[in-house]
Amino acid sequence: MPLITTPLAPLNLTELRTAVRHLLDAQTTKWWTDAVIDAFANLANIWVYKAICRVNPEFFLGTTTHAWPANTESQTFIATFGASPYMVLSIEETAASSGVVAGNEPWEWVPIRWIERARWHARTSGTARQVGYALQGQKIWVAPVPTTVRNLKLATIPFPIQLDTANPDLSFLLNPFGTANDGGAEMFGDAVVYRTAMLCSVKDGASNPKLEQLWLEAKADIESNARVRQVQAS
C-alpha cells in the first residue's frame, strides 16, 4: 500500500462555514449568514488558540535576533520588533552575534516580575551573565542594565490573527503566520469548528448535547495530544 505523501490541508474559513452549517442542520445561509458565522469563528479561533497555548505554546513559536543596546533599561516591542507578542517563551544570550555554535553556546535570561527589578538592579555588575527581564505593557524591561551590547535570540508567541473574511479559502484556522501547513496547530482546526457551532447554538437559544460532546472531545484531544510534538521511545 503506497504511503500518503500529501499532508491533509489545514481547515480554512470556507470549510468552517460549511461544516458549521451542517452541524446546525442549516441548508441555506438565510439564518446562519457568513457574517454571523465569521464573527463567532474569530471568537472560537482565539479561544482554541489560547487553549493550545496553555498546553504547549511552542506550536506557534517564532524567533528573532536582537542586539540589546548598552545602558538601556527598556525598549518598546512594537518600535523594536514590529509587533508586541502574546507571550515571550525565552530570551537567550550568546557572547558573539554569529549564532549558536560550539564555543558560543547560549544562556538564558530570567523572567521576573516588573516590581522585582529593584532587587535585580542592586546586583553589582551589569556585565553579569544573569539578567532578568519583564514584559510589561508595550515594553520589555531588563535588570541589571547591561553595560555592553548583548546578542539575543527571542522566542515569542504572536497574537492570533483575524480570520480573513474577504479571502476565506486562504484564511486558515489557528494560523498566526498566514501560510498553509506551517507546522503549527492545523490538526486542531476541528476544535474551532465545534466551538463556532457551540457559539452559534447559544445565539439560537437551544441546547445541543451532541455539539457539546464534540466540543468536550476536542478539548480533551488538545489537552492530551498538544503537549509534545516529538515522541521518542525510551
Side-chain angles (χ1 to χ4, degrees), residues 17-59:
R17 292 169 179 171
T18 300
V20 166
R21 289 191 178 103
H22 284 316
L23 288 168
L24 297 172
D25 198 23
Q27 303 305 314
T28 69
T29 62
K30 182 178 180 180
W31 179 250
W32 297 111
T33 64
D34 286 351
V36 170
I37 293 177
D38 293 351
F40 286 133
N42 268 304
L43 293 175
N45 196 58
I46 292 170
W47 200 101
V48 175
Y49 188 98
K50 292 189 294 184
I52 294 171
C53 284
R54 285 194 295 270
V55 177
N56 183 5
E58 292 178 14
F59 273 98

Side-chain angles (χ1 to χ4, degrees), residues 107-129:
W107 61 90
E108 287 186 305
W109 284 17
V110 181
I112 61 174
R113 296 186 64 188
W114 189 84
I115 59 173
E116 296 175 324
R117 290 162 34 259
R119 292 198 298 272
W120 282 72
H121 279 309
R123 298 186 175 209
T124 57
S125 173
T127 60
R129 273 199 166 195

Side-chain angles (χ1 to χ4, degrees), residues 2-3 12 25 31 42-43 53 61 82 86 88 99 107 119 135 152 162 190 227:
L3 294 175
N12 60 38
D25 198 23
W31 179 250
N42 268 304
L43 293 175
C53 284
L61 178 68
Y86 176 49
V88 174
W107 61 90
R119 292 198 298 272
L135 180 63
L152 305 180
Q162 188 90 354
D190 60 326
R227 296 190 179 278

Side-chain angles (χ1 to χ4, degrees), residues 150-168:
R150 300 298 184 91
N151 305 300
L152 305 180
K153 175 174 283 187
L154 287 79
T156 59
I157 306 302
F159 281 96
I161 61 173
Q162 188 90 354
L163 294 172
D164 186 357
T165 58
N167 297 286

